[in-house]
Amino acid sequence: MCNEDLLDIEQQSVANLDSYYANATDADAESLIAFVYAEVYNVTGYFWVNLLNSLSDDSPATGGLYSNINVTSSNHRGNQYFTNFYNINYLCNLIIEKLEPTSEVKEQIIGEAYFWRAYAYTNLIRLWGNPPLVDHVLATEELTPTNGTTEELWNYVETSLQEAITRLPEKSGLGGQQEIGGRVTLHSAYALLGKAQLLRGDYTSAIASLEKVINSGKYDLIDDFTELYHMPADFCDEYMWEWNVDDNSTASTYMNEGDFRFMRFTWNTANVTVPGGITEQGVSGADLNKDFYDFMVDRGEKGKPRYYGTIWDYEDILQRFVDLGLATDTEEAVSKFWKTDASMINCQGYFRSKVLAWADEVVPDSREAGLPYTYTNWPGMRYAEVLLLYSEACVQSGTKVSEGLVALNKVRVRAGLSELGSFDLQDVKDEKRAELAFEGERYLDLIRWGDASTVLENRGVTSYTFYGYVQSSTEYDVVEEAFAGASGFQTGRDELFPYPYSETLLNPNLIQNNGW
């Protein structure tokens, strides 16, 4: 008689998944969590930041959702991220379920896995609303889950972060991040937990969680706003967590031995030159529009640190060429700035200065190879956002308002503004818009505040091209044209991304979001 058990032969030279995790050394476990860090880092890079910013009212760009009537659940620019965030959740669940916590190193790694699956789901909820809850590694018969409920999804995020809090290390104090490296900590988890609770509308709990960070005394704003996203800010006390970009390919913080995203964020180097910046391979646009510039000027920010660290007008750019000794005067600077005939699409004469890399931050060998990259660390969240989330939770709940005002004023003073004597929700909205410009929050804030249908009503219906100065004047030469197929923000549809069409084919239990 045939014994069927003899047919179950383990593949040679192939590691059994359960066995690998169960018998993983500390070094093996480090490599597992390093892969998670790399996945999150790669997902939330240049295209992610550009997508979220291009949807906001601060961007001059056309194209994308609002300007293309043919956008569907099959070709939506957010589709890839749905899959990416679920993959991150899967990788984390593998670690949580299968890695044996037999050492302090592994305990920390399991804590990091809890953190990153909470991070993934925070984004899934914000962008898709009610995605399926996948709280474990699915068996074959479980591959078509139904949409989750708001309560169970946010509970998953919160309980995951509570599990992370019990396992993650804590900074020793101010200046203590470098000894931990580019990895999340106890207070990283409290910061994300407070944010999740605020997004959920649980303002009392958000206040308590964010106070854990504020009252720890281990985080602070750096003095000079213009140093953010530059090497002097690496491992600063403002970064709640960051990806450490260096040349150590064996470390768990390994990120391609250098970061190409700063090259991509450089203004389009086929058209213009960033004074003092990367001069080749830049593919980005101006990224901030006249409305945002006017907003900053009306607030009295022109000429102050946050203004210079966020946006430049044409005159600022020309003067920078002079200040750096790259031109003798602003007239010569015009020819230094434009590489070809003066023309910049999706631009009104105002350019993002945030997230530009300076020439002295570029790794020399990479410049010679024609693909310049830097070792500048990339922050995942800043303490400034913690303070502003706290201020919002206070004003939304009507509790601890005086403490919320202190937090708000701390951000304002660093920006070069005067303190407010009192504040309301609009003050928080404005401060977040100024402080976190081009950091992916504005569009999502407009959605949750219920402001999107008004603020974004005409978003993307007009295209702009900047040609420098009108001849023999200092008036900006900007041509405006109606963009064919533009629809603007569609209330009842654009509050959420669609579930990718391919996912709805694979999962008949997945209910599509309204309007898609």
Side-chain angles (χ1 to χ4, degrees), residues 108-183:
Q108 177 182 343
I109 287 166
I110 292 170
E112 289 170 299
Y114 274 115
F115 177 92
W116 288 118
R117 80 175 191 179
Y119 176 85
Y121 257 90
T122 298
N123 285 296
L124 285 166
I125 297 167
R126 295 182 84 183
L127 293 170
W128 285 275
N130 60 347
L133 175 61
V134 180
D135 58 1
H136 62 282
V137 177
L138 298 180
T140 304
E141 65 273 13
E142 298 177 297
L143 295 179
T144 57
T146 59
N147 299 71
T149 67
T150 300
E151 182 176 6
E152 68 181 1
L153 290 168
W154 281 123
N155 284 346
Y156 180 64
V157 171
E158 289 199 34
T159 55
S160 295
L161 289 169
Q162 294 291 0
E163 291 287 349
I165 285 166
T166 66
R167 295 171 171 87
L168 292 176
E170 185 174 356
K171 275 174 59 175
S172 58
L174 290 172
Q177 186 64 44
Q178 190 151 12
E179 62 192 72
I180 295 175
R183 300 173 72 168

Coordinates of all heavy atoms in Angstrom, one line a residue, residues 108-183:
Q108 N 12.4 44.1 20.4 CA 12.4 45.5 19.7 C 11.9 45.3 18.3 O 11.1 46.1 17.8 CB 13.8 46.1 19.8 CG 13.8 47.5 19.0 CD 15.2 48.1 19.0 OE1 16.0 47.7 19.8 NE2 15.4 49.1 18.1
I109 N 12.4 44.3 17.6 CA 12.0 44.2 16.2 C 10.5 43.9 16.1 O 9.8 44.4 15.2 CB 12.8 43.1 15.5 CG1 14.3 43.6 15.3 CG2 12.2 42.6 14.2 CD1 15.3 42.6 15.0
I110 N 10.0 43.1 17.0 CA 8.5 42.8 17.0 C 7.8 44.1 17.2 O 6.7 44.4 16.6 CB 8.2 41.7 18.0 CG1 8.7 40.4 17.6 CG2 6.6 41.6 18.2 CD1 8.6 39.3 18.6
G111 N 8.3 44.9 18.2 CA 7.7 46.2 18.4 C 7.7 47.1 17.2 O 6.7 47.8 16.9
E112 N 8.8 47.1 16.4 CA 8.9 47.9 15.2 C 7.9 47.4 14.2 O 7.3 48.2 13.4 CB 10.3 47.8 14.6 CG 11.3 48.6 15.5 CD 12.7 48.3 15.1 OE1 13.2 47.2 15.1 OE2 13.4 49.3 14.7
A113 N 7.7 46.1 14.1 CA 6.7 45.5 13.2 C 5.3 46.0 13.6 O 4.5 46.3 12.7 CB 6.7 44.0 13.2
Y114 N 5.0 46.0 14.8 CA 3.6 46.6 15.3 C 3.5 48.0 14.9 O 2.4 48.5 14.4 CB 3.5 46.4 16.8 CG 3.0 45.1 17.3 CD1 3.8 44.3 18.1 CD2 1.7 44.7 17.0 CE1 3.3 43.1 18.5 CE2 1.2 43.5 17.5 CZ 2.0 42.7 18.2 OH 1.5 41.5 18.7
F115 N 4.6 48.8 15.0 CA 4.6 50.2 14.6 C 4.3 50.4 13.1 O 3.4 51.1 12.7 CB 5.9 50.9 14.9 CG 6.0 52.3 14.5 CD1 5.6 53.3 15.4 CD2 6.4 52.7 13.2 CE1 5.7 54.7 15.0 CE2 6.5 54.0 12.8 CZ 6.1 55.0 13.7
W116 N 5.0 49.6 12.3 CA 4.9 49.8 10.8 C 3.6 49.3 10.3 O 3.1 49.8 9.3 CB 6.1 49.2 10.1 CG 7.3 50.0 10.3 CD1 8.5 49.6 10.9 CD2 7.5 51.4 10.0 NE1 9.4 50.7 11.0 CE2 8.8 51.8 10.4 CE3 6.7 52.4 9.4 CZ2 9.4 53.1 10.2 CZ3 7.2 53.7 9.2 CH2 8.5 54.0 9.6
R117 N 3.0 48.3 10.9 CA 1.7 47.9 10.4 C 0.6 48.9 10.8 O -0.3 49.1 10.0 CB 1.3 46.5 10.9 CG 0.8 46.3 12.3 CD 0.3 44.9 12.6 NE -0.4 44.8 13.8 CZ -0.9 43.6 14.3 NH1 -0.7 42.5 13.6 NH2 -1.6 43.6 15.4
A118 N 0.8 49.6 11.9 CA -0.1 50.7 12.3 C 0.1 51.8 11.3 O -0.9 52.5 10.9 CB 0.2 51.1 13.7
Y119 N 1.3 52.1 11.0 CA 1.6 53.2 10.0 C 0.9 52.9 8.7 O 0.3 53.8 8.0 CB 3.1 53.4 9.8 CG 3.5 54.4 8.8 CD1 3.6 55.7 9.1 CD2 3.8 54.0 7.5 CE1 4.0 56.7 8.2 CE2 4.2 54.9 6.5 CZ 4.3 56.2 6.9 OH 4.6 57.2 5.9
A120 N 1.0 51.6 8.2 CA 0.5 51.3 6.9 C -1.1 51.4 6.9 O -1.7 52.0 6.0 CB 0.8 49.8 6.6
Y121 N -1.7 51.0 8.0 CA -3.1 51.1 8.1 C -3.6 52.5 8.3 O -4.7 52.9 7.9 CB -3.7 50.1 9.2 CG -4.3 48.9 8.5 CD1 -3.5 47.8 8.3 CD2 -5.6 48.9 8.1 CE1 -4.0 46.7 7.7 CE2 -6.1 47.8 7.5 CZ -5.3 46.7 7.3 OH -5.9 45.6 6.6
T122 N -2.8 53.3 9.0 CA -3.2 54.8 9.1 C -3.4 55.4 7.7 O -4.3 56.1 7.4 CB -2.2 55.5 9.9 OG1 -2.1 55.0 11.2 CG2 -2.5 57.0 10.0
N123 N -2.5 55.0 6.8 CA -2.5 55.5 5.4 C -3.7 54.9 4.7 O -4.4 55.5 3.9 CB -1.2 55.3 4.7 CG -0.2 56.3 5.2 OD1 -0.3 57.5 5.0 ND2 0.9 55.8 5.8
L124 N -3.9 53.6 4.8 CA -5.0 52.9 4.2 C -6.3 53.5 4.6 O -7.2 53.7 3.7 CB -4.9 51.4 4.5 CG -3.9 50.6 3.8 CD1 -3.7 49.2 4.4 CD2 -4.2 50.4 2.3
I125 N -6.5 53.8 5.8 CA -7.8 54.3 6.3 C -8.0 55.8 5.8 O -9.1 56.1 5.3 CB -7.8 54.3 7.8 CG1 -7.8 52.9 8.4 CG2 -9.1 55.0 8.3 CD1 -7.5 52.8 9.9
R126 N -6.9 56.6 5.8 CA -7.1 58.0 5.4 C -7.4 58.1 3.9 O -8.1 59.0 3.5 CB -5.8 58.7 5.7 CG -5.4 58.9 7.1 CD -4.2 59.7 7.3 NE -4.4 61.1 7.3 CZ -3.5 62.1 7.4 NH1 -2.2 61.7 7.5 NH2 -3.8 63.3 7.4
L127 N -6.8 57.2 3.1 CA -7.0 57.3 1.7 C -8.1 56.4 1.1 O -8.7 56.8 0.1 CB -5.7 56.9 1.0 CG -4.5 57.8 1.2 CD1 -3.2 57.2 0.7 CD2 -4.8 59.2 0.6
W128 N -8.5 55.3 1.7 CA -9.5 54.4 1.2 C -10.7 54.3 2.1 O -11.7 53.7 1.7 CB -8.9 53.1 0.8 CG -8.1 53.1 -0.4 CD1 -8.6 53.0 -1.7 CD2 -6.7 53.3 -0.5 NE1 -7.5 53.1 -2.6 CE2 -6.4 53.3 -1.9 CE3 -5.7 53.5 0.4 CZ2 -5.0 53.4 -2.3 CZ3 -4.4 53.6 0.0 CH2 -4.1 53.6 -1.4
G129 N -10.6 54.8 3.3 CA -11.8 54.8 4.2 C -12.1 53.5 5.0 O -11.9 53.5 6.2
N130 N -12.5 52.5 4.3 CA -12.9 51.2 5.0 C -12.3 50.0 4.3 O -13.0 49.1 3.9 CB -14.4 51.1 5.0 CG -15.0 51.1 3.6 OD1 -14.3 51.4 2.6 ND2 -16.3 50.7 3.5
P131 N -10.9 50.0 4.2 CA -10.3 48.8 3.5 C -10.5 47.6 4.4 O -10.7 47.7 5.6 CB -8.8 49.2 3.5 CG -8.7 50.2 4.7 CD -9.9 50.9 4.7
P132 N -10.3 46.4 3.8 CA -10.4 45.2 4.6 C -9.4 45.1 5.7 O -8.3 45.5 5.5 CB -10.2 44.1 3.6 CG -10.6 44.7 2.3 CD -10.2 46.1 2.4
L133 N -9.8 44.6 6.9 CA -8.9 44.4 8.0 C -8.2 43.1 7.8 O -8.8 42.0 7.8 CB -9.7 44.5 9.3 CG -8.9 44.2 10.6 CD1 -7.7 45.2 10.7 CD2 -9.8 44.1 11.8
V134 N -6.9 43.2 7.8 CA -6.1 41.9 7.7 C -5.1 42.0 8.9 O -4.0 42.5 8.8 CB -5.3 41.9 6.4 CG1 -4.5 40.6 6.3 CG2 -6.2 41.9 5.2
D135 N -5.5 41.4 10.0 CA -4.8 41.4 11.2 C -3.9 40.2 11.5 O -3.4 40.1 12.6 CB -5.7 41.7 12.4 CG -6.8 40.6 12.5 OD1 -6.8 39.6 11.7 OD2 -7.6 40.7 13.5
H136 N -3.8 39.4 10.5 CA -2.9 38.2 10.6 C -2.6 37.7 9.2 O -3.1 38.2 8.2 CB -3.6 37.1 11.4 CG -4.9 36.6 10.7 ND1 -6.1 37.3 10.7 CD2 -5.1 35.5 9.9 CE1 -7.0 36.6 10.1 NE2 -6.5 35.5 9.5
V137 N -1.7 36.8 9.1 CA -1.3 36.2 7.8 C -2.5 35.3 7.3 O -2.8 34.4 8.0 CB 0.0 35.4 7.9 CG1 0.3 34.7 6.6 CG2 1.2 36.3 8.4
L138 N -3.0 35.7 6.2 CA -4.3 35.0 5.7 C -4.0 33.6 5.2 O -3.0 33.3 4.5 CB -4.9 35.8 4.6 CG -5.4 37.2 5.0 CD1 -6.0 37.9 3.8 CD2 -6.3 37.2 6.2
A139 N -4.9 32.7 5.5 CA -4.9 31.4 4.9 C -5.6 31.5 3.6 O -6.2 32.5 3.2 CB -5.7 30.4 5.8
T140 N -5.4 30.4 2.8 CA -5.9 30.4 1.4 C -7.4 30.7 1.3 O -7.9 31.5 0.5 CB -5.6 29.1 0.7 OG1 -4.2 28.8 0.8 CG2 -6.1 29.1 -0.7
E141 N -8.2 30.2 2.3 CA -9.6 30.4 2.3 C -10.0 31.8 2.8 O -11.2 32.1 2.8 CB -10.3 29.3 3.1 CG -10.0 29.3 4.6 CD -8.7 28.5 4.9 OE1 -8.0 28.2 4.0 OE2 -8.5 28.2 6.1
E142 N -9.1 32.6 3.2 CA -9.4 33.9 3.7 C -9.0 35.1 2.8 O -9.0 36.2 3.2 CB -8.7 34.1 5.1 CG -9.0 33.1 6.2 CD -8.2 33.4 7.4 OE1 -6.9 33.2 7.3 OE2 -8.8 33.7 8.5
L143 N -8.8 34.8 1.6 CA -8.2 35.8 0.7 C -9.2 36.8 0.1 O -8.8 37.6 -0.8 CB -7.4 35.1 -0.4 CG -6.2 34.3 0.0 CD1 -5.5 33.6 -1.2 CD2 -5.2 35.2 0.8
T144 N -10.4 36.7 0.5 CA -11.4 37.7 -0.1 C -12.2 38.3 1.1 O -13.4 38.2 1.2 CB -12.4 37.0 -1.0 OG1 -13.0 35.9 -0.3 CG2 -11.7 36.5 -2.3
P145 N -11.5 39.1 1.9 CA -12.1 39.7 3.1 C -13.0 40.9 2.7 O -12.8 41.5 1.7 CB -10.9 40.2 3.9 CG -9.9 40.5 2.9 CD -10.0 39.4 1.9
T146 N -14.0 41.1 3.5 CA -14.9 42.2 3.3 C -14.3 43.6 3.8 O -13.3 43.6 4.5 CB -16.3 42.0 4.0 OG1 -16.0 41.9 5.4 CG2 -16.9 40.7 3.5
N147 N -14.9 44.7 3.4 CA -14.5 46.0 3.9 C -14.5 46.0 5.4 O -15.4 45.4 6.1 CB -15.4 47.1 3.4 CG -15.3 47.1 1.9 OD1 -15.9 46.3 1.2 ND2 -14.7 48.2 1.3
G148 N -13.6 46.7 6.0 CA -13.6 46.8 7.5 C -14.5 47.9 7.9 O -15.0 48.7 7.1
T149 N -14.8 48.0 9.2 CA -15.5 49.1 9.8 C -14.6 50.1 10.3 O -13.4 49.8 10.7 CB -16.5 48.6 10.9 OG1 -15.7 48.2 12.0 CG2 -17.4 47.5 10.4
T150 N -15.0 51.4 10.4 CA -14.2 52.4 11.0 C -13.7 52.1 12.3 O -12.5 52.2 12.6 CB -15.0 53.7 11.0 OG1 -15.4 54.1 9.7 CG2 -14.1 54.9 11.6
E151 N -14.5 51.6 13.2 CA -14.1 51.3 14.6 C -13.1 50.2 14.6 O -12.0 50.3 15.3 CB -15.3 50.8 15.4 CG -15.0 50.6 16.9 CD -16.2 50.2 17.7 OE1 -17.3 50.1 17.1 OE2 -16.1 50.1 18.9
E152 N -13.3 49.1 13.9 CA -12.3 48.0 14.0 C -11.0 48.3 13.4 O -9.9 47.9 13.8 CB -12.9 46.7 13.4 CG -13.1 46.7 11.9 CD -13.7 45.4 11.4 OE1 -14.0 44.5 12.2 OE2 -13.9 45.3 10.2
L153 N -11.0 49.2 12.3 CA -9.8 49.6 11.7 C -8.9 50.5 12.6 O -7.7 50.2 12.7 CB -10.1 50.3 10.4 CG -10.6 49.4 9.2 CD1 -11.2 50.2 8.1 CD2 -9.6 48.4 8.7
W154 N -9.5 51.5 13.2 CA -8.8 52.3 14.1 C -8.4 51.6 15.3 O -7.3 51.9 15.9 CB -9.6 53.6 14.4 CG -9.6 54.6 13.4 CD1 -10.7 55.2 12.7 CD2 -8.4 55.3 12.8 NE1 -10.3 56.1 11.8 CE2 -8.9 56.2 11.8 CE3 -7.1 55.2 13.0 CZ2 -8.0 57.0 11.1 CZ3 -6.2 56.0 12.3 CH2 -6.7 56.9 11.3
N155 N -9.2 50.6 15.8 CA -8.8 49.8 16.9 C -7.5 49.0 16.6 O -6.6 48.9 17.5 CB -9.9 48.9 17.3 CG -11.0 49.5 18.1 OD1 -10.9 50.7 18.6 ND2 -12.2 48.9 18.2
Y156 N -7.4 48.5 15.4 CA -6.2 47.8 14.9 C -5.0 48.7 15.0 O -3.9 48.3 15.5 CB -6.5 47.3 13.5 CG -5.4 46.5 12.9 CD1 -5.0 45.3 13.5 CD2 -4.7 46.9 11.8 CE1 -3.9 44.5 12.9 CE2 -3.7 46.2 11.2 CZ -3.3 45.0 11.7 OH -2.3 44.2 11.2
V157 N -5.1 49.9 14.5 CA -4.0 50.8 14.6 C -3.6 51.1 16.0 O -2.4 51.1 16.4 CB -4.4 52.2 13.9 CG1 -3.3 53.2 14.1 CG2 -4.6 51.9 12.4
E158 N -4.6 51.4 16.9 CA -4.3 51.8 18.3 C -3.7 50.6 19.0 O -2.7 50.8 19.8 CB -5.6 52.3 19.0 CG -6.0 53.7 18.5 CD -6.9 54.4 19.4 OE1 -6.8 54.2 20.7 OE2 -7.8 55.1 19.0
T159 N -4.3 49.4 18.9 CA -3.8 48.3 19.7 C -2.4 47.9 19.2 O -1.5 47.5 20.0 CB -4.7 47.1 19.6 OG1 -4.9 46.8 18.2 CG2 -6.0 47.4 20.3
S160 N -2.1 48.1 17.9 CA -0.8 47.8 17.4 C 0.2 48.7 18.0 O 1.3 48.3 18.4 CB -0.8 47.9 15.8 OG -1.6 46.9 15.2
L161 N -0.1 50.0 18.1 CA 0.8 51.0 18.6 C 1.0 50.8 20.1 O 2.1 51.0 20.6 CB 0.3 52.4 18.3 CG 0.5 52.8 16.8 CD1 -0.3 54.1 16.5 CD2 1.9 52.9 16.4
Q162 N 0.0 50.4 20.8 CA 0.1 50.0 22.2 C 1.1 48.9 22.4 O 1.9 48.9 23.4 CB -1.2 49.7 22.9 CG -2.2 50.9 22.9 CD -1.8 52.0 23.9 OE1 -0.8 51.9 24.6 NE2 -2.6 53.0 24.0
E163 N 1.0 47.9 21.5 CA 1.9 46.8 21.6 C 3.4 47.3 21.3 O 4.3 46.8 21.9 CB 1.5 45.7 20.6 CG 0.3 45.0 20.9 CD 0.4 44.0 22.0 OE1 1.6 43.7 22.5 OE2 -0.6 43.5 22.5
A164 N 3.5 48.2 20.3 CA 4.8 48.7 20.0 C 5.4 49.5 21.2 O 6.6 49.4 21.5 CB 4.7 49.7 18.8
I165 N 4.6 50.2 21.9 CA 5.0 51.1 23.0 C 5.7 50.2 24.1 O 6.6 50.6 24.8 CB 3.8 51.9 23.6 CG1 3.6 53.1 22.6 CG2 4.1 52.4 25.0 CD1 2.2 53.8 22.8
T166 N 5.1 49.0 24.3 CA 5.7 48.1 25.3 C 7.0 47.5 25.0 O 7.7 46.9 25.8 CB 4.7 47.0 25.7 OG1 4.6 46.1 24.5 CG2 3.3 47.5 26.0
R167 N 7.5 47.7 23.7 CA 8.7 47.0 23.2 C 9.8 47.9 22.7 O 10.9 47.5 22.6 CB 8.3 46.0 22.1 CG 7.4 44.8 22.6 CD 6.9 44.1 21.4 NE 6.2 42.8 21.8 CZ 4.9 42.7 22.1 NH1 4.2 43.8 22.0 NH2 4.4 41.6 22.4
L168 N 9.4 49.1 22.3 CA 10.4 50.0 21.7 C 11.3 50.7 22.7 O 10.9 51.1 23.8 CB 9.6 51.0 20.8 CG 8.9 50.4 19.6 CD1 8.2 51.5 18.8 CD2 9.9 49.8 18.6
P169 N 12.5 51.0 22.3 CA 13.4 51.7 23.1 C 13.1 53.2 23.2 O 12.4 53.7 22.3 CB 14.8 51.5 22.5 CG 14.5 51.4 21.0 CD 13.1 50.6 21.0
E170 N 13.6 53.9 24.2 CA 13.4 55.3 24.4 C 14.7 56.0 24.3 O 15.8 55.6 24.7 CB 12.8 55.5 25.8 CG 12.4 56.9 26.2 CD 11.7 56.9 27.5 OE1 11.5 55.9 28.1 OE2 11.4 58.1 28.0
K171 N 14.6 57.2 23.7 CA 15.8 58.0 23.6 C 16.3 58.4 25.0 O 15.6 58.5 25.9 CB 15.5 59.4 22.9 CG 15.6 59.3 21.4 CD 15.1 60.7 20.8 CE 15.9 61.8 21.2 NZ 15.5 63.1 20.5
S172 N 17.7 58.5 25.1 CA 18.2 58.8 26.4 C 18.0 60.2 26.8 O 18.0 60.6 28.0 CB 19.7 58.6 26.4 OG 20.4 59.3 25.4
G173 N 17.7 61.1 25.9 CA 17.4 62.5 26.1 C 17.6 63.3 24.8 O 17.8 62.7 23.8
L174 N 17.7 64.6 25.0 CA 18.0 65.4 23.8 C 19.3 65.0 23.2 O 20.3 64.8 23.9 CB 18.0 66.9 24.2 CG 16.6 67.5 24.6 CD1 16.9 68.9 25.1 CD2 15.7 67.6 23.4
G175 N 19.3 64.9 21.9 CA 20.6 64.5 21.2 C 20.8 63.0 21.3 O 21.9 62.5 20.9
G176 N 19.8 62.2 21.7 CA 20.0 60.8 21.9 C 19.6 59.9 20.7 O 19.8 58.7 20.8
Q177 N 19.1 60.4 19.6 CA 18.6 59.6 18.5 C 19.8 58.9 17.8 O 19.6 57.7 17.4 CB 17.8 60.4 17.5 CG 17.2 59.6 16.5 CD 16.1 58.6 17.0 OE1 15.3 58.9 17.8 NE2 16.2 57.3 16.5
Q178 N 20.9 59.5 17.7 CA 22.0 58.9 16.9 C 22.4 57.6 17.5 O 22.8 56.7 16.7 CB 23.2 59.9 16.8 CG 24.2 59.4 15.8 CD 25.0 60.6 15.2 OE1 24.9 61.7 15.6 NE2 25.7 60.3 14.1
E179 N 22.4 57.4 18.8 CA 22.8 56.1 19.3 C 21.8 55.0 19.0 O 22.2 53.8 19.0 CB 23.0 56.3 20.9 CG 21.8 56.6 21.6 CD 22.1 57.0 23.1 OE1 22.6 58.1 23.3 OE2 21.7 56.2 24.0
I180 N 20.6 55.4 18.7 CA 19.6 54.4 18.3 C 19.6 54.2 16.8 O 19.4 53.1 16.3 CB 18.2 54.8 18.8 CG1 18.1 54.9 20.3 CG2 17.1 53.9 18.2 CD1 16.8 55.4 20.8
G181 N 19.9 55.3 16.1 CA 20.0 55.2 14.6 C 18.7 55.6 14.0 O 17.8 56.1 14.7
G182 N 18.5 55.2 12.7 CA 17.3 55.6 12.0 C 16.2 54.6 12.2 O 15.7 54.0 11.3
R183 N 15.8 54.4 13.5 CA 14.8 53.5 13.8 C 13.7 54.1 14.8 O 14.0 55.1 15.5 CB 15.4 52.2 14.5 CG 16.4 51.5 13.6 CD 17.1 50.4 14.2 NE 16.3 49.2 14.5 CZ 16.7 48.0 14.8 NH1 18.1 47.9 15.0 NH2 15.9 47.0 15.0

